[in-house]
Amino acid sequence: QVQLVEPGGGLVQAGGPLRLSCAASGTIFDASTMGWYRQAPGKQRELVATISTVWTTSYAGSVKGRFTISRDNAKKTVYLQMNSLKPEDTAVYYCNTQKGPNAYWGQGTQVTVSS
């Protein structure tokens, strides 16, 4: 069974950095595209960033140049380095992967950016 565990998150001042991590199990991690999504109160869940098995990355326009997604296949972990955080980045952040026809999600971690 695929499990995604996301420790971290927290409260940070605007302009500051924060790094999220997501540890995966139950899947062939180095053969899986990984992604980060977020959901702010009253809004739909949106894609933040993805990283493919060959390290191709993509970002939402709102975070490009500020966020960096990376992966450590030996640790089966994907990271999201967030810099220059803004209050509008406040959301619950979710780790995601796909295995066959099924999508899997982490439990979510709250990120709050104070102005």
Side-chain angles (χ1 to χ4, degrees):
Q1 183 176 354
V2 177
Q3 286 192 319
L4 302 173
V5 179
E6 311 152 0
L11 175 65
V12 63
Q13 283 193 329
L18 190 66
R19 189 175 83 156
L20 303 180
S21 63
C22 170
S25 62
T27 187
I28 304 174
F29 183 81
D30 55 0
S32 303
T33 291
M34 303 297 298
W36 286 98
Y37 287 71
R38 68 185 181 187
Q39 187 166 18
K43 295 188 177 181
Q44 288 190 331
R45 192 172 297 189
E46 64 174 357
L47 178 64
V48 175
T50 63
I51 184 165
S52 76
T53 58
V54 292
W55 282 70
T56 300
T57 58
S58 65
Y59 298 92
S62 59
V63 307
K64 195 172 293 184
R66 299 188 297 122
F67 290 12
T68 302
I69 189 171
S70 61
R71 62 192 299 157
D72 184 332
N73 288 343
K75 295 182 179 179
K76 297 186 178 181
T77 299
V78 61
Y79 303 97
L80 185 68
Q81 178 67 45
M82 305 184 291
N83 297 327
S84 302
L85 281 161
K86 304 175 180 180
E88 51 263 42
D89 294 318
T90 294
V92 178
Y93 284 71
Y94 298 90
C95 181
N96 165 272
T97 192
Q98 194 94 10
K99 185 175 182 181
N102 301 313
Y104 296 90
W105 299 90
Q107 79 280 8
T109 186
Q110 177 69 47
V111 173
T112 302
V113 184
S114 63
S115 57

